[in-house]
């Protein structure tokens, strides 16, 4: 099993930046595809970004392409989400997730392990 703990959320003004981190337990972190998802109040959960086990391949939702960057450090069992040019529509609870699969995917059902989430609020 994998336990995931997110951090780095907070309140930021529109146009600002935040970096989220997700620390994973266990010795097999590099066997998991990692993803970030978000859910705003009253809205369905949506995918944000995913990264392959080695970090060589990434995928992004259209809404964040060019603004967000996902990365991972397998030596530290940590995945990151750098968020730039934030706008109010990015306000949501952000969750990291782990999928025991061979390629990066933005499909939430592929992810078996989820963190508790970290809140990101962007003010105008």
């Amino acid at each position: 099993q994998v336990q995931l703990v997110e951090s780095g959320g907070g309140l930021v003004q529109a146009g600002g930046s935040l970096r989220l981190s997700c620390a994973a337990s266990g010795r097999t972190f590099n066997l998991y595809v990692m993803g970030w998802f978000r859910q705003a109040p009253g809205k369905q959960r949506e995918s944000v970004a995913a990264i392959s086990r080695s970090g060589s391949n990434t995928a992004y939702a259209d809404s964040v392409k060019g603004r967000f960057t996902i990365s991972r450090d397998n030596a530290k069992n940590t995945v990151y989400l750098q968020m730039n040019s934030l706008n109010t529509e990015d306000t949501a609870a952000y969750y990291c997730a782990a999928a025991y699969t061979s390629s990066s995917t933005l499909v939430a059902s592929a992810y078996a392990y989820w963190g508790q989430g970290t809140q990101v609020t962007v003010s105008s």
Side-chain angles (χ1 to χ4, degrees):
Q1 287 197 355
V2 179
Q3 293 184 327
L4 304 170
V5 179
E6 302 96 335
S7 62
L11 175 64
V12 63
Q13 288 189 331
S17 299
L18 279 176
R19 188 176 83 153
L20 305 183
S21 300
C22 174
S25 65
R27 300 179 180 179
T28 58
F29 178 71
N30 61 344
L31 297 182
Y32 290 86
V33 165
M34 300 299 296
W36 285 96
F37 297 81
R38 66 187 183 186
Q39 187 166 20
K43 295 186 177 181
Q44 289 188 334
R45 180 177 56 192
E46 62 174 341
S47 60
V48 175
I51 189 166
S52 62
R53 294 179 293 184
S54 67
S56 59
N57 293 304
T58 57
Y60 296 92
D62 288 343
S63 59
V64 306
K65 278 181 182 176
R67 301 188 299 122
F68 290 12
T69 302
I70 188 171
S71 62
R72 67 189 295 164
D73 186 336
N74 285 345
K76 295 183 178 180
N77 282 14
T78 302
V79 62
Y80 304 96
L81 185 68
Q82 177 67 43
M83 305 185 294
N84 299 328
S85 302
L86 286 160
N87 58 60
T88 56
E89 294 183 350
D90 296 316
T91 295
Y94 283 72
Y95 301 88
C96 74
Y100 192 66
T101 186
S102 59
S103 60
S104 55
T105 175
L106 293 173
V107 178
S109 59
Y111 291 81
Y113 303 101
W114 294 79
Q116 294 298 308
T118 185
Q119 179 67 36
V120 172
T121 302
V122 184
S123 63
S124 58

